[in-house]
């Protein structure tokens, strides 16, 4: 597979659904979904779900630094966006990676961990299209492939979350 890694100066999609993986203090892997909307003032709103119940999140997106910060009632997340274009299949993989800190009232309050979230969009249909770099052998982190299973493995969840966010507007 020929994938070119690049960092874009384009925005996150205004609405997106991400597969997310988090690890806290070496404890077992936690999988979930992140649904977020980027508002015109670069504020973030949405939900994160690890155990069946969507938990509200809010935060901010720094376009120039390609950094995101958001929190839920249980954890604070910070991360950086990396973009991988796969021209062979016409997909742009968006990858957020970073650190998290568990907050009270979580039973893990004070513990730190890492997280990765991924989503992808069609290169052909993306209005913020940045021409791909020459093909290379650089591959996205394994999280891109693993979390995409979460993202596409349960389409009924995606439809419910899309309606939930649309109704909030």
């Amino acid at each position: 597979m020929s994938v070119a890694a690049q960092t874009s100066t384009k925005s996150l999609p205004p609405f997106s659904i991400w597969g997310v993986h988090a690890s806290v203090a070496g404890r077992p892997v936690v999988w979930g979904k992140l649904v977020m909307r980027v508002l015109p003032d670069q504020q973030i709103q949405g939900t994160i779900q690890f155990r069946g119940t969507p938990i509200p999140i809010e935060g901010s997106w720094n376009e120039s630094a390609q950094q995101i910060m958001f929190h839920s009632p249980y954890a604070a997340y910070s991360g950086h966006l990396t973009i991988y274009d796969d021209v062979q299949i016409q997909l742009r993989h968006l990858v957020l990676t970073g650190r998290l800190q568990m907050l009270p009232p979580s039973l893990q309050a004070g513990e730190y961990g890492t997280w990765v979230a991924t989503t992808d969009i069609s290169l052909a249909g993306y209005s913020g299209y940045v021409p791909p770099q020459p093909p290379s052998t650089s591959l996205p982190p394994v999280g891109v492939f693993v979390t995409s299973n979460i993202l596409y493995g349960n389409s009924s969840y995606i439809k419910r979350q899309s309606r939930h966010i649309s109704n909030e507007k």
Side-chain angles (χ1 to χ4, degrees):
M1 167 182 351
S2 161
V3 179
Q6 61 178 291
T7 300
S8 166
T9 57
K10 302 298 179 188
S11 288
L12 288 172
F15 173 80
S16 51
I17 300 172
W18 303 67
V20 64
H21 162 264
S23 175
V24 179
R27 290 196 171 81
V29 175
V30 180
W31 302 96
K33 293 198 182 197
L34 171 65
V35 177
M36 75 177 151
R37 184 172 57 224
V38 181
L39 303 174
D41 61 357
Q42 300 304 298
Q43 295 300 300
I44 302 286
Q45 290 182 340
T47 61
I48 194 162
Q49 176 179 325
F50 287 111
R51 291 187 174 88
T53 302
I55 300 167
I57 62 162
E58 57 182 36
S60 62
W61 164 245
N62 181 325
E63 181 73 31
S64 61
Q66 297 289 286
Q67 293 179 335
I68 191 169
M69 294 177 67
F70 63 91
H71 66 276
S72 76
Y74 304 101
Y77 301 78
S78 63
H80 178 78
L81 175 68
T82 306
I83 296 174
Y84 297 89
D85 286 343
D86 189 333
V87 294
Q88 289 181 339
I89 59 173
Q90 288 294 294
L91 279 182
R92 170 165 285 174
H93 301 285
L94 303 171
V95 183
L96 291 167
T97 55
R99 296 193 40 87
L100 65 90
Q101 179 181 9
M102 299 305 293
L103 304 171
S106 170
L107 296 175
Q108 295 176 309
E111 300 280 354
Y112 290 86
T114 59
W115 64 284
V116 60
T118 61
T119 194
D120 48 56
I121 53 180
S122 168
L123 279 174
Y126 182 46
S127 62
Y129 178 71
V130 175
Q133 299 294 319
S136 75
T137 57
S138 174
L139 291 174
V142 70
V144 168
F145 305 105
V146 177
T147 57
S148 67
N149 186 43
I150 297 166
L151 191 58
Y152 298 114
N154 186 349
S155 61
S156 64
Y157 172 84
I158 292 171
K159 289 175 189 170
R160 284 194 317 271
Q161 286 303 307
S162 296
R163 280 193 300 262
H164 175 71
I165 292 293
S166 296
N167 291 336
E168 289 179 353
K169 291 183 181 177

